[in-house]
Amino acid sequence: MDLIQSYAADDESPPQNPNSSPIRTLPSKSAAPKVDDTMLALTVAGEAARAQSKPLDPTQHLVGFNPTYEQLWAPIYGPAHPYAKDGLAQGLRNHKLGFVENASIEPFVFDEQYNTFQKYGYAVDPSENSYIGDLEKMKECDAISVYNIPQHEQKKRKLEKQKEKMEEEGDEQDVDTSEVENPSTDTWLMKNRKSPWAGKKEGLQVELTEEQKKYAEEYAKKKGEERGGDREKPEPLLEKSTFHGKEEKDYQGRSWIAPPKDAKAANDHCYIPKRLVHTWSGHTKGVSAIRFFPKHGHLILSAGMDTKVKIWDVYNSGKCMRTYMGHSKAVRDIWFSNDGSKFFTASYDKYIKYWDTETGQVIQTFTMGKIPYVVRLNPDEDKQNVLLAGMSDKKIVQWDINSGQITQEYDQHLGAVNTITFVDNNRRFVTSSDDKSLRVWEYGIPVVIKYISEPHMHSMPSIAPHPNGNWIAAQSLDNQILIYSTRERFQLNKKKRFAGHIVAGYACQVNFSPDGRFVMSGDGEGRCWFWDWKSCKVFRTLKCHEGVCIGAEWHPLEQSKVATCGWDGLIKYW
């Protein structure tokens, strides 16, 4: 009954009744006769083991089974590697080119044995501490190497060489060996012409040929010119100027640079320009800087990389009025005097020139033998004879225009000076440099009163003062405009930061609108950007130039007129 109950449930486990008896199963029986399969099992196992351990034959192109990892990477046994040309047994091979012996040899020891073998034909075997090569030669030379020749042997050889030389030269005098060996004697000097002492004695001086003398003179002259290039002042270019207008004076006798009578008194409320009004094209290369005529803005001055400076009419004809030519290289910076009757130009030919705006005459020329990067006049009316220039040799040089003399040098920067900006009612000025710092100076005193340099600061190639005089905007080369206070502490205003434009690598000019409501700047992609001073938000961008928009100036009187210049050689009026 228990057996029947256990088969009753198909998938269920048998009942766990303690009184039930265990399951009984019948033993299976086979009708086949008994066979001894020991040898068969051993054969199958051996073949499987061989197949498993047998490496692949590298000469066969087809593998008829799936080899295991061990079979793929098993070493190849046999008399020689199938691809070896030298027939070296696989057991002796530890490199694809044959057998390499592991031996650590110092470079000096290796060179010694190598050179000894090349010279004598024998060398030391480092693995067995024995000699290999020509053993007879080794016994004959007493196993010396090229580096341990005895001292007496060396001296003997030197003397032999000296005697041979003298015999070749046909010198029949007897040679004293002591004189030959002593470097202080004439004999030694005569025979060792390549020594440091050769040519010091009068007897050894050889006359130069005419051709050699001529070459030496030309070389000395050329070297002198190169060395004196920085010290001596370069020759100034002859200045000339061309007037392009109809007449230099009108029927009333007024000059062509006189401001129009109907000009506004002041600019009250500024607006951002929307469209292009006029384009001036006359420079054959890029324009590096533009400046409006002070106070009235009826003329605009431009400095070109084609070495020329041009002045353009803004109000009436819109044509070029005069071209000033006096520099031999690109003009870097320009600056008007307060009344606009005169202006300065700074060029890469290392000259600063003082021009008369009306006649085009050069009043004075200044140079220090270094490239001037920026020129500024003291804005005070009673100091219009004081010129400051930032130089490539890290100095700010101050000239008196009347006397032409240098009156002061401000020398603290560690790189070329890029900007000079007067602040605090012109009692102080701020300079920026390639050394990534700002320095504040008291006018006339060459001592830094404030030094601003932070790890995060970049070079600042352009700085503009705010119209209210309390702030300066600095164009930083990490694509942002930073604002600094002009009060006593000259602190960075962290709340005001103008960004969005790409100026890295370009000295794009930053500027303010005359009412101080807007900040403007060109960028490296030819756009002009306008930001709101209070909110620091981008107000508008204008695509102005092909290439870099390097300069941007707001008209001093017109409410919404802006001039931009770029490296495409154009000046645009918006």
Side-chain angles (χ1 to χ4, degrees):
M1 285 299 292
D2 294 336
L3 193 61
I4 294 168
Q5 282 178 0
S6 67
Y7 284 106
D10 292 337
D11 296 329
E12 292 177 15
S13 60
Q16 301 296 323
N17 191 352
N19 298 322
S20 62
S21 57
I23 300 167
R24 294 180 181 86
T25 55
L26 299 172
S28 60
K29 287 187 178 181
S30 173
K34 288 208 171 190
V35 178
D36 186 9
D37 58 354
T38 310
M39 286 304 295
L40 178 65
L42 287 172
T43 308
V44 171
E47 280 182 7
R50 267 200 305 278
Q52 200 164 9
S53 63
K54 185 179 95 174
L56 295 177
D57 185 0
T59 56
Q60 67 182 19
H61 298 285
L62 191 68
V63 180
F65 61 96
N66 287 337
T68 61
Y69 177 84
E70 286 76 15
Q71 284 174 284
L72 280 173
W73 295 101
I76 298 167
Y77 297 101
H81 194 282
Y83 298 131
K85 304 288 185 216
D86 51 9
L88 196 68
Q90 181 62 25
L92 298 176
R93 177 179 296 279
N94 61 2
H95 190 266
K96 49 187 174 183
L97 296 179
F99 176 73
V100 178
E101 182 180 334
N102 293 324
S104 176
I105 304 173
E106 290 294 320
F108 176 79
V109 178
F110 179 83
D111 289 344
E112 182 185 25
Q113 297 305 323
Y114 176 79
N115 292 323
T116 303
F117 189 81
Q118 295 296 325
K119 187 169 185 180
Y120 297 116
Y122 62 87
V124 178
D125 184 356
S127 60
E128 299 176 6
N129 289 329
S130 62
Y131 284 88
I132 56 169
D134 191 349
L135 299 180
E136 289 179 6
K137 182 76 173 172
M138 180 201 75
K139 289 174 184 173
E140 187 186 321
C141 295
D142 205 10
I144 59 167
S145 73
V146 288
Y147 293 155
N148 59 6
I149 299 172
Q151 196 73 21
H152 64 86
E153 192 75 23
Q154 291 180 15
K155 283 184 180 178
K156 189 179 170 185
R157 287 189 183 182
K158 278 184 184 175
L159 284 170
E160 284 173 2
K161 280 186 181 177
Q162 296 292 343
K163 285 176 183 175
E164 283 173 13
K165 228 183 215 180
M166 290 172 75
E167 283 170 9
E168 283 173 9
E169 291 172 4
D171 213 344
E172 295 175 359
Q173 296 174 358
D174 293 333
V175 180
D176 187 1
T177 52
S178 61
E179 282 194 357
V180 173
E181 288 177 25
N182 189 359
S184 63
T185 60
D186 287 344
T187 313
W188 194 92
L189 277 173
M190 290 293 287
K191 300 309 167 191
N192 293 274
R193 288 173 187 262
K194 291 182 182 178
S195 74
W197 297 278
K200 300 291 181 187
K201 300 285 180 180
E202 290 180 8
L204 292 176
Q205 288 182 352
V206 183
E207 279 294 319
L208 296 175
T209 62
E210 287 300 320
E211 193 178 345
Q212 286 173 331
K213 282 180 183 174
K214 190 179 176 184
Y215 176 77
E217 284 171 12
E218 286 176 4
Y219 183 77
K221 189 178 176 184
K222 188 180 174 185
K223 271 290 176 192
E225 285 173 3
E226 284 178 7
R227 284 178 187 166
D230 288 341
R231 294 175 199 163
E232 295 172 13
K233 296 178 181 178
E235 283 296 316
L237 197 71
L238 188 66
E239 302 94 1
K240 59 179 181 177
S241 179
T242 309
F243 183 70
H244 306 289
K246 288 183 181 177
E247 50 192 3
E248 295 197 22
K249 294 189 183 295
D250 63 1
Y251 67 97
Q252 290 181 325
R254 295 168 71 244
S255 169
W256 63 273
I257 66 165
K261 288 183 177 179
D262 57 347
K264 291 195 300 182
N267 195 344
D268 44 6
H269 198 79
C270 293
Y271 301 94
I272 292 178
K274 293 181 180 177
R275 63 187 178 84
L276 181 65
V277 179
H278 188 74
T279 301
W280 291 289
S281 61
H283 286 285
T284 54
K285 290 183 180 177
V287 180
S288 51
I290 49 171
R291 301 279 182 264
F292 274 110
F293 196 90
K295 296 177 185 171
H296 299 95
H298 62 290
L299 298 169
I300 186 167
L301 189 70
S302 66
M305 295 179 190
D306 56 357
T307 74
K308 295 174 185 174
V309 177
K310 292 177 180 281
I311 194 162
W312 314 78
D313 183 35
V314 176
Y315 275 3
N316 302 317
S317 64
K319 293 179 180 175
C320 178
M321 298 300 290
R322 190 179 273 281
T323 301
Y324 307 88
M325 294 165 283
H327 289 289
S328 59
K329 291 186 180 177
V331 183
R332 161 88 188 201
D333 195 25
I334 45 176
W335 195 255
F336 271 114
S337 61
N338 279 6
D339 58 358
S341 62
K342 298 172 184 66
F343 67 89
F344 287 92
T345 59
S347 167
Y348 284 103
D349 63 4
K350 303 177 183 176
Y351 277 100
I352 300 168
K353 298 203 173 183
Y354 188 35
W355 301 78
D356 186 289
T357 312
E358 184 181 354
T359 63
Q361 297 294 315
V362 172
I363 303 165
Q364 213 160 349
T365 302
F366 306 92
T367 184
M368 281 277 291
K370 301 292 178 185
I371 299 171
Y373 281 168
V374 56
V375 282
R376 290 290 182 271
L377 269 177
N378 191 310
D380 286 339
E381 290 295 338
D382 59 338
K383 294 191 183 73
Q384 284 291 288
N385 63 326
V386 178
L387 166 70
L388 280 89
M391 297 292 190
S392 60
D393 65 344
K394 314 166 192 175
K395 292 181 183 176
I396 299 117
V397 184
Q398 181 177 311
W399 275 281
D400 183 0
I401 297 168
N402 297 337
S403 65
Q405 299 296 315
I406 294 172
T407 55
Q408 191 63 268
E409 280 190 4
Y410 306 85
D411 186 9
Q412 292 282 324
H413 275 293
L414 305 174
V417 180
N418 292 324
T419 64
I420 300 171
T421 311
F422 280 88
V423 296
D424 197 12
N425 296 323
N426 308 325
R427 288 180 300 172
R428 299 186 178 125
F429 61 92
V430 182
T431 59
S432 70
S433 163
D434 286 347
D435 62 7
K436 303 180 183 178
S437 71
L438 293 178
R439 291 173 203 250
V440 185
W441 313 76
E442 201 82 41
Y443 169 72
I445 303 169
V447 179
V448 175
I449 60 170
K450 180 75 177 179
Y451 169 61
I452 305 166
S453 180
E454 299 290 339
H456 60 77
M457 281 174 64
H458 286 66
S459 185
M460 297 177 182
S462 173
I463 292 179
H466 193 276
N468 66 13
N470 294 336
W471 309 95
I472 55 170
Q475 180 83 269
S476 179
L477 285 186
D478 58 346
N479 302 327
Q480 59 180 343
I481 297 170
L482 304 176
I483 307 298
Y484 288 88
S485 164
T486 58
R487 298 294 178 199
E488 290 298 321
R489 299 182 66 188
F490 287 89
Q491 279 181 305
L492 173 67
N493 188 339
K494 293 179 181 175
K495 292 182 180 177
K496 285 198 185 296
R497 178 179 158 275
F498 303 92
H501 57 323
I502 308 294
V503 293
Y506 304 104
C508 296
Q509 185 185 349
V510 62
N511 228 318
F512 285 98
S513 60
D515 61 355
R517 289 175 59 232
F518 301 109
V519 181
M520 65 185 292
S521 167
D523 79 346
E525 296 172 352
R527 292 193 293 263
C528 187
W529 293 66
F530 298 89
W531 292 270
D532 182 45
W533 169 252
K534 284 187 178 177
S535 66
C536 300
K537 290 180 180 175
V538 178
F539 232 85
R540 185 171 296 152
T541 60
L542 296 172
K543 176 64 177 172
C544 300
H545 297 274
E546 294 296 324
V548 182
C549 176
I550 200 77
E553 284 260 334
W554 207 293
H555 195 285
L557 292 181
E558 294 287 341
Q559 293 174 325
S560 62
K561 299 286 177 68
V562 168
T564 62
C565 67
W567 285 2
D568 55 0
L570 302 176
I571 304 156
K572 295 189 177 181
Y573 195 41
W574 302 82

